[in-house]
Amino acid sequence: MNLAQAVAGSNPALNISIFGAFVVVTLVVVFRASKNSRTAADYYAAGRAFTGPQNGIAISGDYLSAASFLGIAGAIALNGYDGFLYSIGFLVAWLVALLLVAELLRNTGKYTMGDVLAFRMRQRPVRAAAATSTLAVSFFYLLAQMAGAGGLVALLLGITSKTGQALVIAVVGILMIVYVLIGGMKGTTWVQIIKAALLITGAAAITLWILGKYGFNLSALLGDAAQKGGAAVLDPGKQYGKTGLTQIDFVSLALALVLGTAGLPHILMRFYTVPTAKEARRSVVWAIWLIGIFYLFTLVLGYGAGALVGPAAINAAPGKANSAAPLLAQALGGPVLLGFIAAVAFATILAVVAGLTITASASFAHDVYASVIKKGKADPAAEVKVARITALVIGAVAIAGGIVANGQNIAFLVALAFAVAASANLPTILYSLFWKKFNTRGALWSIYGGLAVCLLLIVFSPAVSGSASAMFPSADFDLFPLSNPGIVSIPVSFLLGWIGTITSKERDDAKYAEMEVRALTGVGAEKAVAH
C-alpha cells in the first residue's frame, strides 16, 4: 500500500503536473537571472544586490525545509504539545543569529564562513578546517533532503518500486544541479523566494480553512484533537516523558536546534547577498517574522490533522508523521489541494538542496582551491569554474547517497546537521568575533574536535542502532544514551577552542583590532557589485 492508494481520490498525474509547472516557472527565472552572473561575486553572492526583505524571504525559504513543513505538522498531530516544542526551538534559534552573527558576519566575510574564521588566523589550515566542517554539515543535510525526496515525494506520486524512487531522487538531483550551474546564487535565491511564497501561502490557506471549519474557535479545534488523540496531546510530556534521560535528550536536541542555526553554512552565506550590514539585519528580521508566522500555522496544521484525520489514520499511512499534512490536505480539499501540497513538498526539497549545493561548492572552490591549493592567487573565473565542477560532483554524491539512504531513518541526519553546525561552527565563529586572544590552534581544535566528538557520539547513539526507529535497527552498539549529542559536543568544542588558544603563543592584536572595527562599523566590508 502507498500513500497515493491510502488516500482515496489521490491523483498522481495532477501532482506531477502541478510540480512540473513549478519547475518550468523557476527554470525560466533561473535562466533570466543567469544573464547577469558574470563575476565570482555574482556567482557566490548574487552581486550583493538583493534587498533585506527579498533576502529575508529567501532565508525563510532556505530554512523551512521538508522537516519543518511535514515533520513538525506530523509531530504536533501525534504528540501535541511536545511536537510544538520543535517549532519554538527553530524560531528561537533566529534570535542567536540576529543578535550575535548576522551583521558582524556580513561585515567581516566575503563569500563563505571560512572568510570570517580565517580573517586573523593562518589562512590555509583554518580555511581547510572551515571547508571540512561546511562540507560535513551540507552532506548530512543533503542526504536527509534527498532521502526525503525519494521516500516522501515518491509516495505522493504513487511510486512504490525502489527503481522508481531512485529515479525520483535522480530527477531532484539533476534539477538541483541545473539551478546551481546556470543561476548561481542569484538563480538559487529566486527559487527560494518563489518556494517560500508558495509554502507560506499554502500553509496560511489551509490554516484559515481549518479554523473556518471550527468557526475560528481554537478551543473547539483543540478539544476535537484531544477527543481523537487523547487528552495527553494538550499536555507536556507525551513524547519526551517525565523520566530524567528523555528530558536530558530533549534539552540536548533543543541546544542543537537553537545554537545550530547560527552555524549552518547555507544560512550564513545568505548574509553576503545583501549590499550592507543594515540590509543583513533587515533580512533576519523579515526571516524571523515569516518563519514565526509559519510556525504558528504549524500549530493549527498539526492539531487540525489530529482532529480531522486522526492519529490512527496518520500512523497507518506509509510515511506516518510525514503523511499528516498531505492527509489533511486531502481531507479538506480533495485531489487538487493534495496535488498542491505534493508540489510544495517537492519544491521545498528542491530549493533547500539547491541552496546547500551552492554553499558546499563555494566553500570548496573559495576556501580549498583558491586559498589552500592556489595560495590565494587563483583567477576568479577559474575559481567559479571549479565551483561549478564541484557542484556537479556534490550533486552526483547527493544522488548516490540519497538512493542508498532511501527508506532509512532520516530524522537523525537533520539533527546531526544541526548538531555538527552547533558543535564545530558556532563556537569558532563566536570566539573569532568576540575573543581577542583566539588563535589558529584554538580554531583548529574547536572545529575538528567539535566535529569528531559530535560524529563519534552520533555513531554510538540510539539514533543509529539499538532501537526500532534506528538507522540500523538490527545492530546494537548504542554506548551513548542520548539521540542527540549537543549537550556534550557543544561544550566540548568551546572547551577545546579555549585550551587550544591558551596553549599557543600565537597572537595578532592588530589584525583583531582591524576585524573588530570592520565587524562593528562596516569599514572595509564588501560592497554590492554594479552592472
Side-chain angles (χ1 to χ4, degrees):
M1 185 178 76
N2 58 57
L3 184 60
Q5 292 167 341
V7 184
S10 173
N11 187 335
L14 180 67
N15 299 350
I16 294 170
S17 61
I18 295 173
F19 174 66
F22 169 81
V23 170
V24 169
V25 170
T26 50
L27 280 175
V28 169
V29 170
V30 165
F31 273 109
R32 291 192 63 179
S34 69
K35 291 176 183 175
N36 291 325
S37 209
R38 301 189 194 101
T39 65
D42 287 331
Y43 186 78
Y44 292 142
R48 309 185 203 283
F50 282 98
T51 65
Q54 285 175 329
N55 193 45
I57 298 168
I59 287 173
S60 66
D62 231 342
Y63 193 65
L64 297 172
S65 67
S68 293
F69 176 39
L70 300 162
I72 293 177
I76 295 170
L78 297 178
N79 298 308
Y81 182 94
D82 282 17
F84 188 55
L85 291 174
Y86 278 87
S87 294
I88 296 167
F90 280 127
L91 179 58
V92 169
W94 276 103
L95 296 177
V96 179
L98 174 64
L99 297 173
L100 296 178
V101 174
E103 180 182 354
L104 306 181
L105 194 93
R106 167 65 187 80
N107 286 342
T108 312
K110 187 175 183 180
Y111 299 135
T112 65
M113 183 180 74
D115 290 329
V116 178
L117 302 185
F119 192 93
R120 59 191 179 98
M121 315 288 178
R122 294 202 308 277
Q123 293 283 316
R124 295 174 75 192
V126 174
R127 283 188 182 277
T132 302
S133 174
T134 295
L135 289 169
V137 176
S138 300
F139 176 71
F140 288 116
Y141 223 129
L142 266 174
L143 209 57
Q145 297 296 326
M146 296 297 278
L152 170 73
V153 181
L155 287 169
L156 288 167
L157 301 181
I159 301 167
T160 52
S161 71
K162 285 288 180 187
T163 309
Q165 292 183 11
L167 187 64
V168 170
I169 291 172
V171 167
V172 171
I174 291 164
L175 282 170
M176 161 188 86
I177 293 167
V178 168
Y179 286 147
V180 173
L181 289 185
I182 296 170
M185 180 57 93
K186 190 169 284 185
T188 303
T189 301
W190 280 114
V191 172
Q192 302 287 16
I193 289 171
I194 294 167
K195 169 247 160 161
L198 269 177
L199 181 60
I200 294 170
T201 303
I206 295 175
T207 298
L208 290 173
W209 199 329
I210 293 166
L211 290 174
K213 284 181 82 74
Y214 286 90
F216 290 90
N217 184 340
L218 189 60
S219 294
L221 170 62
L222 296 177
D224 209 358
Q227 202 172 1
K228 282 261 182 83
V233 296
L234 302 180
D235 298 325
K238 189 173 192 294
Q239 184 176 2
Y240 292 101
K242 299 191 169 63
T243 62
L245 196 60
T246 52
Q247 289 179 337
I248 292 171
D249 209 355
F250 174 70
V251 171
S252 188
L253 174 68
L255 270 175
L257 295 182
V258 170
L259 298 179
T261 297
L264 287 174
H266 66 293
I267 298 294
L268 297 178
M269 201 169 163
R270 290 241 144 261
F271 298 136
Y272 299 129
T273 65
V274 291
T276 62
K278 182 183 177 184
E279 291 299 307
R281 280 198 311 276
R282 283 184 73 204
S283 62
V284 180
V285 171
W286 269 77
I288 288 174
W289 273 106
L290 291 171
I291 292 165
I293 290 166
F294 177 82
Y295 282 136
L296 283 177
F297 292 158
T298 62
L299 184 67
V300 178
L301 293 177
Y303 277 116
L308 299 172
V309 179
I314 293 168
N315 281 319
K320 292 194 175 3
N322 284 342
S323 306
L327 287 166
L328 175 63
Q330 172 69 15
L332 288 172
V336 174
L337 191 57
L338 177 62
F340 176 75
I341 292 302
V344 168
F346 215 156
T348 296
I349 291 168
L350 193 56
V352 172
V353 294
L356 287 163
T357 303
I358 196 164
T359 301
S361 63
S363 183
F364 181 84
H366 185 62
D367 293 326
V368 178
Y369 171 76
S371 300
V372 177
I373 298 172
K374 290 291 184 180
K375 300 180 182 177
K377 296 173 183 173
D379 174 51
E383 192 181 317
V384 171
K385 188 177 178 183
V386 169
R388 288 194 159 113
I389 294 168
T390 309
L392 278 171
V393 174
I394 290 167
V397 170
I399 290 169
I403 290 169
V404 171
N406 188 23
Q408 297 283 356
N409 175 12
I410 62 166
F412 93 98
L413 291 170
V414 177
L416 177 55
F418 272 85
V420 171
S423 304
N425 296 347
L426 187 67
T428 321
I429 291 169
L430 294 181
Y431 276 149
S432 294
L433 291 171
F434 298 108
W435 189 19
K436 189 175 184 178
K437 294 179 181 177
F438 194 53
N439 54 35
T440 302
R441 183 187 289 177
L444 296 179
W445 283 27
S446 182
I447 294 173
Y448 286 128
L451 185 61
V453 169
C454 185
L455 292 178
L456 193 67
L457 293 180
I458 279 282
V459 166
F460 292 106
S461 77
V464 175
S465 72
S467 70
S469 61
M471 190 171 189
F472 303 107
S474 55
D476 190 3
F477 47 86
D478 56 326
L479 306 176
F480 181 68
L482 304 177
S483 295
N484 194 290
I487 201 166
V488 175
S489 58
I490 297 168
V492 165
S493 181
F494 274 106
L495 180 64
L496 288 171
W498 177 73
I499 293 171
T501 300
I502 62 169
T503 56
S504 170
K505 293 179 180 176
E506 177 198 345
R507 234 176 115 172
D508 191 340
D509 287 358
K511 200 70 179 166
Y512 174 75
E514 181 192 339
M515 184 179 185
E516 189 175 36
V517 170
R518 180 165 165 170
L520 295 174
T521 66
V523 173
E526 298 291 328
K527 303 299 180 189
V529 178
H531 284 299

